[in-house]
Amino acid sequence: MSTNTTKKSQWSGYFIIIIFVIAIFSLLGSCFSSSSGYSGGEVRCTYCSKVIYSDYRPIHCTNLYNNTYECDYCGHKNVIK
């Protein structure tokens, strides 16, 4: 019986290591991603979900000041970093 117990504890050790490695990679991925959710694709209005910013330029929004844009669809103000 001790060999079965040893094999089970060995597999659980591997499982813990795999989970740990996955957690580390997911944390590293979130550290290097954009905090605003913009990855070069498109940004949607936080209120009406229409695409307002695409390919690093405003398409359906008006630049008010700094990084604040007003959605042309609903008028909601969005910050795009």
Side-chain angles (χ1 to χ4, degrees):
M1 276 211 202
S2 65
T3 56
N4 281 341
T5 306
T6 305
K7 286 182 181 181
K8 286 181 183 179
S9 65
Q10 183 180 13
W11 281 109
S12 64
Y14 289 145
F15 181 72
I16 291 171
I17 291 172
I18 290 171
I19 296 298
F20 182 73
V21 169
I22 290 171
I24 293 294
F25 278 117
S26 72
L27 286 174
L28 286 175
S30 65
C31 288
F32 293 115
S33 68
S34 173
S35 63
S36 66
Y38 182 65
S39 61
E42 61 187 29
V43 175
R44 294 183 173 268
C45 175
T46 55
Y47 187 75
C48 68
S49 299
K50 302 279 187 173
V51 176
I52 59 171
Y53 202 86
S54 181
D55 294 328
Y56 300 103
R57 61 189 177 95
I59 56 171
H60 296 292
C61 61
T62 305
N63 188 0
L64 299 176
Y65 53 89
N66 293 341
N67 295 331
T68 303
Y69 294 85
E70 182 177 34
C71 177
D72 292 340
Y73 295 108
C74 68
H76 186 74
K77 293 174 180 62
N78 297 274
V79 176
I80 301 172
K81 294 181 181 180

